[in-house]
Amino acid sequence: MQHELLEEEREIRDAELLILLISGEAGGIISILHLHKIFFFLWKFHPQVRRLVDFVPHLKGPYSFELDDLIKNPTYIVDCWRYIPPLNRSEAEKVKGGYLEITEKGRELYNKLVEGLNKKAKEDEDALALTSAVDLIVPLYTRLGWDELLFLLYTDETNKKFSEKSELSGSILKNSERIVDRLVKKGIIPEEKRESLIKRAKSAWWIM
């Protein structure tokens, strides 16, 4: 007979389920960098996610030591993903920090999780808010290159507390125009927003 989980245990399990949900929505494989930042965006706006882990300023912006431990050493959602090291020694691969890939068992659990959340969302506003956020954020942010993702994060003043210790901000700002041009080309931002986004980068005094 399984014992009823304590609140702290439920939070760990729920954080691991969210890791699986994000990774599944991303197509089954996601860089560790993208996983951390997407989790951060959900954490920032969703009260139920905020209770699961903490984020602190770090070398690549907002970072959660608890989340990193759950990715590497899950307690409840076991054998549902595996870690893939960086593919080569390039700067991009180093920054992305490797990948999380869902296993066959993880895919089966992900499908059940989505089905359960969609049913719950019909009656529960928190579940609806979470599923809606995941459906919106994950497809959008997984389209971004590592520098595009960090650019949008670093230059947003609401994230300044978490961006001040970054070791990558200098190179991101130096290449801001090229990054913005790529965002326009991908259709992430409209052409008419190009100049205002470049201006936002030049005004981001907290990472200069």
Side-chain angles (χ1 to χ4, degrees):
M1 181 177 178
Q2 292 183 336
H3 77 281
E4 184 176 349
L5 296 178
L6 301 174
E7 182 178 358
E8 184 177 353
E9 293 173 324
R10 287 199 302 272
E11 290 174 356
I12 293 172
R13 180 204 60 191
D14 290 350
E16 292 176 2
L17 285 171
L18 186 51
I19 291 171
L20 182 65
L21 183 63
I22 293 170
S23 304
E25 183 69 26
I29 186 167
I30 186 171
S31 80
I32 301 302
L33 177 76
H34 282 77
L35 178 56
H36 262 270
K37 303 320 178 196
I38 289 171
F39 207 110
F40 169 73
F41 285 118
L42 294 172
W43 175 90
K44 184 178 174 183
F45 294 110
H46 199 290
Q48 295 300 314
V49 178
R50 288 187 74 90
R51 65 183 175 82
L52 303 181
V53 298
D54 289 321
F55 278 87
V56 297
H58 202 252
L59 300 179
K60 298 176 187 176
Y63 184 82
S64 172
F65 290 95
E66 297 153 298
L67 179 59
D68 188 59
D69 186 55
L70 294 177
I71 292 170
K72 295 174 180 175
N73 304 294
T75 302
Y76 299 99
I77 312 304
V78 296
D79 299 325
C80 286
W81 60 72
R82 67 186 183 96
Y83 173 72
I84 301 174
L87 303 179
N88 53 55
R89 296 183 179 182
S90 67
E91 179 187 17
E93 287 297 309
K94 180 182 177 182
V95 173
K96 286 189 284 188
Y99 303 84
L100 182 151
E101 182 178 42
I102 290 181
T103 62
E104 184 175 344
K105 178 182 176 181
R107 175 61 65 180
E108 292 176 1
L109 180 57
Y110 164 75
N111 290 333
K112 292 178 182 177
L113 177 62
V114 170
E115 183 180 358
L117 281 172
N118 286 338
K119 288 181 180 178
K120 189 176 180 180
K122 294 177 181 179
E123 302 175 351
D124 187 308
E125 290 185 359
D126 285 334
L128 177 60
L130 179 60
T131 55
S132 298
V134 169
D135 289 344
L136 175 67
I137 291 174
V138 176
L140 176 64
Y141 284 99
T142 50
R143 288 178 60 199
L144 301 176
W146 68 269
D147 54 348
E148 297 163 355
L149 177 65
L150 293 181
F151 173 85
L152 292 177
L153 190 152
Y154 290 166
T155 59
D156 183 344
E157 189 169 2
T158 65
N159 299 325
K160 66 181 180 181
K161 171 185 173 183
F162 298 96
S163 304
E164 293 171 346
K165 291 187 177 182
S166 172
E167 64 181 0
L168 299 169
S169 58
S171 63
I172 295 292
L173 287 181
K174 182 180 178 181
N175 295 298
S176 59
E177 291 195 22
R178 280 185 287 179
I179 292 171
V180 171
D181 285 341
R182 276 190 268 130
L183 291 171
V184 171
K185 188 175 181 180
K186 287 182 176 182
I188 303 296
I189 61 168
E191 174 68 39
E192 57 268 24
K193 294 288 185 179
R194 180 183 182 277
E195 293 305 319
S196 63
L197 200 55
I198 291 174
K199 184 178 179 180
R200 186 175 96 172
K202 292 179 179 179
S203 302
W205 54 267
W206 53 91
I207 53 173
M208 293 180 178

